[in-house]
């Protein structure tokens, strides 16, 4: 009744996920079940990607960091990433001892501007990380050709895209490696988690070596992630009458919940979870979520089609993680929506999100289109907890305020 329409309040979790989180917290799932869920998840994820090797990590950013480390590059070798990204991406590059180089993006696709990408290649470039932003396919034929010509590794960052396709190939099967995030707002979720896949035996062996350096997370970290499901289930029904908001605030303040990004990461420093394995405690949840993927993606695609048709957006109907919409005054639109109990998304608020990130640490050089899109892009929800009636309210709201496209 008082539940808001929201893009990022525990978007992927359903009742059975919360019940499972409670059982996990109460120790009602045996160790052998935890371990077997891990093995089964790894096997099913691998099968989904044609038998590729799967390494699991504490997060997508940890996956990206260890994926880069597995390539055994020289200190300060260059990695081209796109601007209009999460700070987790340049962070992972730094943590691997490498140097992020930002290339600008294309205004329509939110993916690499190919001209700028080529311009940014130097003698020190070793890797291109391609993002498939929002689940919009990047121009993989062209990017693959560039990588081949300059003898560069190609990593697909599939944090926004699990199950999407480029032509007839699944995202994640086109580059040398691919990284996935199972973070709270991603395609499927165990709150903190990530995976790296590869078809190369050499990279696989190197990833396995990296995994050996990791330790199991402390129980406090595990609890924080499992509490997330329960705290949101309790808070959301009362969110619009302040009580829910207050409860969430307390949960954050007393560190019952983890943060999506920690303050130190804004300055390029390593968070403690970088050293953790993916906990087996998250495996049953992750497996349960993965088995819902085709239903989730069907829903995402249906809602995408609805927004595209009703708002006349220049997009193909695909299972986008979020639908990007360009507006005139972004902050005003987000605020007006919030007043109506509609919490839309702000990905991303600039070339490196959050905007409090210290761009100098990452040696960011101006990318005009990424900065422009950061000021003018809002996102609409496509997740399983967004009903068609919610999407209709969002469409009506946007039409009512005559949001201007920039
Ligand atoms: C494009 C992109 N890549 C990688 C990541 C890192 O994923 P994780 O949050 O699981 O570390 C994120 C998000 O946080 C992201 O937005």
């Amino acid at each position: 009744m008082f539940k808001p329409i929201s893009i990022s309040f525990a978007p992927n979790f359903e009742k059975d996920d919360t019940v499972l989180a409670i059982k996990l917290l109460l120790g009602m799932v045996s160790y052998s079940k935890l371990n077997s869920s891990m093995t089964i998840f790894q096997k099913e994820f691998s099968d989904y990607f044609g038998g590729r090797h799967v390494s699991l990590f504490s997060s997508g950013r940890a996956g990206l960091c260890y994926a880069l480390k597995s390539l055994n590059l020289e200190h300060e070798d260059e990695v081209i990433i796109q601007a209009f990204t999460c700070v987790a991406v340049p962070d992972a590059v730094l943590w691997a001892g490498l140097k992020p180089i930002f290339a600008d993006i294309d205004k329509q696709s939110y993916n690499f501007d190919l001209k700028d990408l080529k311009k940014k290649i130097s003698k020190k470039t070793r890797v291109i990380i391609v993002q498939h932003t929002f689940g919009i396919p990047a121009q993989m034929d062209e990017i693959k050709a560039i990588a081949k010509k300059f003898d560069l590794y190609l990593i697909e960052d599939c944090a926004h895209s699990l199950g999407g396709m480029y032509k007839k190939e699944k995202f994640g099967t086109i580059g040398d490696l691919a990284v996935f995030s199972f973070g709270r707002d991603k395609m499927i979720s165990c709150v903190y988690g990530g995976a790296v896949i590869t078809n190369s035996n050499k990279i696989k062996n190197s990833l396995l070596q990296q995994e050996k350096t990791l330790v199991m997370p402390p129980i406090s970290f595990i609890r924080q992630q499992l509490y997330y499901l329960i705290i949101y289930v309790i808070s959301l029904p009362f969110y619009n009458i302040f009580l829910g908001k207050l409860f969430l605030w307390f949960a954050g303040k007393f560190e019952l919940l983890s943060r999506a990004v920690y303050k130190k990461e804004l300055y390029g420093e390593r968070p403690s979870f970088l050293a953790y394995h993916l906990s087996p405690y998250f495996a049953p949840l992750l497996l349960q979520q993965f088995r819902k993927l085709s239903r989730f993606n069907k829903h995402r695609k249906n809602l995408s089609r609805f927004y595209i048709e009703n708002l006349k957006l220049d997009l193909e109907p695909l299972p986008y993680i979020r639908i990007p919409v360009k507006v005139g005054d972004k902050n005003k639109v987000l605020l007006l929506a919030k007043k109506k109990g509609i919490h839309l998304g702000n990905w991303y608020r600039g070339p490196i999100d959050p905007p409090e990130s210290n761009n100098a640490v990452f040696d960011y050089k101006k990318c005009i289109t990424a900065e422009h899109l950061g000021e003018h892009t809002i996102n609409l929800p496509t997740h399983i907890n967004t009903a068609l009636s919610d999407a209709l309210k969002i469409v009506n709201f946007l039409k009512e305020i005559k949001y201007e496209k920039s």
Side-chain angles (χ1 to χ4, degrees):
M1 180 179 19
F2 301 114
K3 204 173 167 178
I5 297 172
S6 84
I7 201 160
S8 67
F9 295 163
N12 295 324
F13 296 125
E14 299 178 297
K15 260 188 210 132
D16 59 340
D17 299 309
T18 310
V19 169
L20 181 54
I22 292 170
K23 283 187 181 164
L24 288 161
L25 273 165
L26 294 177
M28 290 164 72
V29 183
S30 67
Y31 282 117
S32 66
K33 178 93 183 161
L34 298 179
N35 287 326
S36 67
S37 298
M38 193 85 147
T39 313
I40 296 168
F41 172 75
Q42 225 159 346
K43 166 87 172 72
E44 291 190 10
F45 203 72
S46 169
D47 288 348
Y48 186 78
F49 289 106
R52 279 168 172 70
H53 166 74
V54 177
S55 277
L56 298 173
F57 295 96
S58 67
S59 56
R61 67 203 88 169
L64 203 49
C65 169
Y66 294 109
L68 288 165
K69 280 185 162 213
S70 74
L71 301 177
N72 294 314
L73 304 172
E74 301 279 321
H75 186 65
E76 292 275 297
D77 274 348
E78 292 177 0
V79 178
I80 303 188
I81 62 175
Q82 69 158 76
F84 198 80
T85 193
C86 174
V87 70
V89 177
D91 264 337
V93 177
L94 283 191
W95 300 334
L98 305 167
K99 186 171 166 37
I101 302 289
F102 292 83
D104 209 348
I105 53 170
D106 167 65
K107 193 171 176 192
Q108 196 48 40
S109 71
Y110 291 85
N111 288 318
F112 275 128
D113 166 346
L114 294 180
K115 251 193 192 161
D116 202 44
L117 169 63
K118 281 186 220 158
K119 242 201 253 169
K120 297 288 162 66
I121 294 173
S122 78
K123 278 188 184 147
K124 297 210 78 184
T125 310
R126 297 289 175 270
V127 184
I128 298 174
I129 300 178
V130 58
Q131 194 173 275
H132 304 302
T133 318
F134 298 118
I136 302 172
Q139 290 173 273
M140 293 308 288
D141 285 341
E142 290 81 354
I143 295 170
K144 218 174 151 179
I146 295 169
K148 193 167 177 210
K149 181 172 171 192
F150 293 95
D151 194 20
L152 309 175
Y153 286 109
L154 183 57
I155 298 182
E156 288 179 81
D157 177 348
C158 299
H160 291 193
S161 50
L162 176 53
M165 307 278 285
Y166 174 76
K167 297 186 179 169
K168 288 191 173 142
E169 292 174 284
K170 268 188 192 148
F171 291 159
T173 63
I174 307 162
D176 299 292
L177 300 117
V179 177
F180 296 85
S181 164
F182 310 127
R184 60 199 72 189
D185 286 349
K186 299 304 191 323
M187 302 297 281
I188 59 170
S189 177
C190 61
V191 189
Y192 254 95
V196 178
I197 64 168
T198 185
N199 228 358
S200 147
N201 259 332
K202 191 170 161 215
I203 298 174
K204 166 188 158 180
N205 290 332
S206 188
L207 279 168
L208 291 173
Q209 289 304 317
Q210 299 292 333
E211 278 188 59
K212 281 187 188 155
T213 65
L214 303 176
V215 297
M216 279 298 168
I219 194 74
S220 55
F221 180 82
I222 295 166
R223 282 199 187 120
Q224 269 185 330
Q225 316 320 324
L226 296 174
Y227 285 158
Y228 179 91
L229 284 85
I230 297 156
I231 286 171
Y232 270 90
V233 155
I234 297 170
S235 308
L236 283 187
F238 307 104
Y239 192 87
N240 282 343
I241 53 163
F242 191 66
L243 219 60
K245 216 181 286 183
L246 190 69
F247 189 50
L248 280 176
W249 181 83
F250 269 110
K253 176 95 184 143
F254 293 103
E255 295 185 9
L256 293 177
L257 295 175
S258 60
R259 290 178 181 278
V261 175
Y262 286 89
K263 201 168 173 189
K264 51 168 46 175
E265 297 179 81
L266 306 178
Y267 305 96
E269 290 171 33
R270 290 160 195 258
S272 48
F273 62 80
L274 201 70
Y276 302 158
H277 281 290
L278 182 87
S279 167
Y281 276 92
F282 304 153
L285 185 56
L286 189 53
L287 182 60
Q288 185 160 290
Q289 284 267 305
F290 185 53
R291 287 177 173 172
K292 296 176 178 188
L293 180 67
S294 79
R295 177 166 61 87
F296 281 7
N297 277 352
K298 205 166 156 202
H299 182 80
R300 289 188 191 277
K301 194 168 167 181
N302 285 341
L303 283 194
S304 299
R305 186 177 289 113
F306 179 79
Y307 291 126
I308 291 165
E309 284 173 5
N310 284 283
L311 296 170
K312 313 244 171 310
L313 304 173
D314 193 7
L315 287 167
E316 294 286 311
L318 298 174
Y320 300 108
I321 192 166
R322 294 174 172 203
I323 294 279
V325 177
K326 298 181 185 88
V327 297
D329 189 338
K330 171 170 178 165
N331 291 333
K332 189 172 152 198
V333 173
L334 292 177
L335 197 69
L336 282 174
K338 209 166 163 181
K339 281 187 181 155
K340 298 220 164 198
I342 303 173
H343 297 251
L344 299 176
N346 59 15
W347 285 1
Y348 289 112
R349 287 162 288 179
I352 308 176
D353 193 280
E356 297 78 22
S357 305
N358 184 335
N359 289 357
V361 168
F362 305 105
D363 201 16
Y364 165 74
K365 304 267 177 0
K366 197 167 180 68
C367 294
I368 293 172
T369 307
E371 292 189 13
H372 175 81
L373 290 177
E375 282 172 25
H376 294 284
T377 302
I378 62 162
N379 344 123
L380 316 183
T382 61
H383 59 76
I384 197 71
N385 288 304
T386 309
L388 190 59
S389 56
D390 296 334
L392 180 62
K393 279 184 197 152
I394 293 170
V395 164
N396 287 341
F397 161 76
L398 287 173
K399 284 184 174 168
E400 202 181 291
I401 61 159
K402 296 190 174 54
Y403 75 102
E404 341 146 21
K405 289 181 201 170
S406 67

